[in-house]
């Protein structure tokens, strides 16, 4: 149960918010409405709150609130992360998204919080673009949308250094991979925070109701995204697999320690090419790197690989691979089509049927 106070200059908004949580999430939240800072401070002298959501107009000095009660400022700008050094909460989120946000904020304050986890491990599919512009992001989001359409809880993870999800999924809000990576680094560096990471990550989730996909926005800082280490990626993927039925991880198609880590933790690795001469050459390089790693370290990464040809036009040709890798499917080029419409179309097709059916045999 999360006990939180609301102190906002928009009294109608605050009242509606209290009524919504009292009716919709009465078994998970206990909201308290305050009309001025004085009544809030009086209440805190005798009562307990897990956190306070406030507007800066009514609480210009957050230090007036006892240090044991964290204050988060309500913001009208989804991109604004700090006000007077305090974290912000975007006020115009959907109710379910705001609840997840409150869960995450509360979990950050309570090192005793237990993690949220599913009874079993979710499946992880890593998508790696064999060439730039092959539509790896579209294919990965389409995979998540296909699983969501089949009734599964699906997460899309943008793990590219210079990723962009705006064409496929709505941007804005506080949930970005920059914040996720920050929380993971803090978790690994501070033992007292252990036990609440999954809850914090759950609180930052965004949700696209049209596609049914959960996600985080891409990191706005490529330098920070590039600082990710293997143990951090492993923690992100294992935590996500504990929360979701399926995780579609979108990675740079560069053979690196990060891609090796993702491949090791994945049920399938989808190599996305466009059928161009350059794309086919790099597809062979990627497959060859997996084969060499398997031979050197006695791994079985290559059998996990599948090939997906995307944006396949009349001038394209499938690669002549030196290794037998099953082809997941081929997607034609949609000239001038809206990317979200393409994702919705992919979710309806049988393209991801082998993954949906849970095929796990080696080729």
């Amino acid at each position: 149960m999360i006990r939180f106070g609301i102190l906002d200059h928009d009294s109608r908004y605050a009242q509606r918010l209290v009524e919504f949580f009292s009716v919709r999430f009465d078994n998970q939240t206990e909201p308290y409405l305050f009309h001025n800072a004085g009544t809030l401070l009086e209440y805190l002298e005798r009562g307990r709150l897990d956190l306070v959501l406030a507007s800066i107009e009514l609480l210009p000095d957050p230090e007036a609130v006892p240090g044991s009660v964290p204050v988060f400022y309500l913001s009208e700008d989804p991109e604004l992360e700090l006000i007077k050094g305090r974290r912000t909460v975007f006020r115009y989120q959907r109710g379910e998204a705001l609840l997840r946000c409150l869960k995450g904020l509360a979990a950050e304050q309570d090192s005793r919080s237990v993690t949220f986890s599913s009874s079993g491990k979710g499946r992880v599919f890593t998508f790696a673009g064999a060439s730039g512009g092959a539509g790896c992001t579209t294919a990965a989001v389409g995979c998540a949308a296909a699983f969501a359409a089949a009734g599964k809880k699906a997460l899309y993870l943008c793990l590219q250094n210079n990723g962009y999800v705006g064409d496929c999924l709505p941007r804005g809000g506080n949930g970005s991979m920059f914040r996720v990576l920050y929380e993971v680094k803090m978790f690994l560096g501070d033992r007292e925070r252990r036990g609440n990471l999954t809850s914090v990550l759950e609180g930052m989730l965004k949700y696209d109701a049209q596609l049914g996909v959960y996600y985080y926005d891409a990191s706005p800082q490529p330098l920070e995204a590039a600082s990710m280490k293997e143990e951090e990626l492993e923690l992100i993927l294992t935590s996500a697999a504990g929360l979701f039925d399926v995780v579609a991880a979108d990675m740079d198609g560069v053979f690196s320690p990060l891609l090796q880590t993702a491949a090791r933790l994945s049920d399938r690795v989808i190599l996305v090419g466009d059928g161009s001469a350059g794309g086919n050459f790099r597809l062979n390089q990627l497959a060859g790197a997996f084969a060499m790693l398997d031979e050197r370290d006695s791994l079985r990464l290559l059998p996990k690989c599948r090939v997906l040809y995307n944006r396949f036009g009349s001038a394209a040709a499938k690669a002549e691979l030196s290794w037998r890798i099953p082809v997941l499917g081929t997607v034609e080029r949609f000239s001038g089509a809206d990317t979200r419409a393409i994702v919705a179309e992919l979710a309806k097709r049988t393209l991801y049927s082998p993954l949906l059916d849970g095929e796990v045999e080696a080729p």
Side-chain angles (χ1 to χ4, degrees):
M1 180 72 71
I2 303 173
R3 295 165 58 94
F4 67 98
I6 302 174
L7 176 64
D8 192 55
H9 68 282
D10 187 341
S11 58
R12 293 182 62 188
Y13 165 81
Q15 184 64 46
R16 289 198 302 269
L17 196 61
V18 168
E19 292 173 354
F20 174 80
F21 277 100
S22 297
V23 174
R24 184 73 179 275
F25 303 117
D26 62 312
N27 61 336
Q28 301 182 62
T29 63
E30 193 173 322
Y32 292 81
L33 178 61
F34 302 94
H35 298 289
N36 57 66
T39 56
L40 168 64
L41 297 178
E42 288 178 9
Y43 176 84
L44 291 175
E45 290 179 359
R46 64 182 189 280
R48 178 185 68 83
L49 292 176
D50 296 312
L51 57 93
V52 171
L53 302 179
S55 60
I56 194 170
E57 290 87 350
L58 292 188
L59 190 64
D61 180 16
E63 300 296 333
V65 176
S68 60
V69 183
V71 173
F72 301 92
Y73 277 124
L74 289 163
S75 167
E76 297 190 4
D77 181 356
E79 302 293 338
L80 185 64
E81 294 200 0
L82 295 175
I83 295 178
K84 283 196 171 184
R86 301 294 177 118
R87 295 256 298 278
T88 64
V89 172
F90 181 48
R91 66 167 63 238
Y92 300 122
Q93 300 182 65
R94 293 171 60 92
E96 293 81 359
L98 186 54
L99 175 63
R100 292 194 299 270
C101 179
L102 291 177
K103 283 183 178 180
L105 295 176
E108 289 181 33
Q109 315 307 317
D110 186 3
S111 60
R112 299 168 300 172
S113 173
V114 297
T115 60
F116 288 84
S117 62
S118 62
S119 57
K121 174 184 175 296
R123 302 168 68 197
V124 178
F125 302 111
T126 291
F127 286 75
S131 60
C136 184
T137 296
T138 305
V141 177
C143 177
F147 272 89
K152 303 296 184 181
K153 189 178 180 183
L155 172 71
Y156 164 76
L157 271 180
C158 182
L159 298 173
Q160 295 187 21
N161 288 347
N162 200 25
Y164 178 72
V165 304
D167 288 341
C168 297
L169 297 163
R171 300 193 64 207
N174 295 325
S176 72
M177 285 305 302
F178 173 81
R179 289 282 304 282
V180 169
L181 187 55
Y182 169 81
E183 294 295 342
V184 167
K185 289 179 182 292
M186 291 291 292
F187 176 86
L188 290 172
D190 185 353
R191 291 183 180 275
E192 292 186 0
R193 294 173 63 91
R194 293 188 181 275
N196 63 21
L197 176 67
T198 313
S199 178
V200 172
L201 297 183
E202 188 182 34
M204 293 190 292
L205 282 168
K206 299 159 70 68
Y207 181 69
D208 185 325
Q210 181 181 348
L211 297 176
V213 173
Y214 291 88
Y215 67 103
Y216 301 104
D217 203 351
S219 175
Q221 302 186 28
L223 186 62
E224 183 68 22
S227 73
M228 185 185 299
K229 298 178 174 60
E230 292 110 287
E231 65 172 341
E232 295 164 354
L233 174 60
E234 182 168 355
L235 185 55
I236 289 172
L237 289 177
T238 53
S239 296
L243 281 170
F244 291 88
D245 298 316
V246 64
V247 178
D250 181 10
M251 298 197 66
D252 293 311
V254 177
F255 199 78
S256 65
L258 286 180
L259 184 56
Q260 294 174 40
T261 298
R264 177 172 55 82
L265 297 170
S266 295
D267 295 84
R268 285 283 175 261
V269 179
I270 316 301
L271 306 179
V272 184
D274 59 1
S276 66
N280 288 340
F281 176 78
R282 285 185 283 273
L283 187 61
N284 255 306
Q285 283 188 316
L286 268 178
F290 279 119
M292 291 179 63
L293 195 65
D294 283 354
E295 183 177 355
R296 188 191 72 185
D297 298 335
S298 299
L299 301 175
R300 288 184 57 80
L301 301 182
L302 192 64
K304 293 183 178 183
C305 291
R306 298 291 183 268
V307 176
L308 171 61
Y309 292 101
N310 194 21
R311 297 182 178 177
F312 200 81
S314 57
K318 294 182 178 180
E320 295 182 3
L321 298 175
S322 303
W323 301 268
R324 190 166 71 89
I325 303 178
V327 175
L328 183 65
T330 303
V331 181
E332 69 273 21
R333 180 181 296 276
F334 293 88
S335 299
D338 176 78
T339 305
R340 281 181 61 82
I342 295 175
V343 170
E345 173 64 23
L346 293 182
K348 300 175 186 176
R349 295 189 176 188
T350 59
L351 176 67
Y352 302 104
S353 293
L355 305 182
L356 286 165
D357 294 339
E359 51 92 4
V360 294
E361 75 282 358

